[in-house]
């Protein structure tokens, strides 16, 4: 199941203050060397609407 967070981090030198983080946890690993995520993505965006549009695309992908 896809999990996400949308964070607003304004800064005077930052043109893209919205951060969209999307990830899907992997099944519990038995070995500490295995990855804990099936995928993990982070996007820096100008508006919250852009973040929600990208998130909608992730949620439409059959999984």
């Amino acid at each position: 199941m896809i999990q996400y967070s949308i964070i607003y981090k304004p800064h005077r030198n930052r043109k893209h203050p919205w951060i969209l983080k999307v990830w899907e946890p992997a099944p519990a690993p038995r070995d500490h060397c295995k990855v804990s995520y099936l995928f993990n993505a982070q996007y820096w965006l100008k508006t919250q609407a852009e973040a929600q549009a990208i998130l909608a695309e992730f949620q439409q992908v059959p999984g």
Side-chain angles (χ1 to χ4, degrees), residues 5-37:
S5 67
I6 299 174
I7 303 165
Y8 182 64
K9 265 187 142 172
H11 189 275
R12 61 187 162 98
N13 295 332
R14 187 177 292 139
K15 293 180 182 178
H16 299 81
W18 289 92
I19 305 168
L20 170 63
K21 294 182 180 181
V22 182
W23 68 93
E24 184 170 358
R30 295 182 184 171
D31 183 4
H32 65 71
C33 296
K34 293 185 179 179
V35 296
S36 56
Y37 298 103

Side-chain angles (χ1 to χ4, degrees), residues 26-62:
R30 295 182 184 171
D31 183 4
H32 65 71
C33 296
K34 293 185 179 179
V35 296
S36 56
Y37 298 103
L38 296 176
F39 70 88
N40 188 6
Q42 179 172 308
Y43 301 91
W44 289 83
L45 305 161
K46 290 183 179 180
T47 65
Q48 186 177 14
E50 286 179 315
Q52 291 173 340
I54 291 174
L55 182 60
E57 290 179 20
F58 269 104
Q59 293 174 338
Q60 290 176 1
V61 174

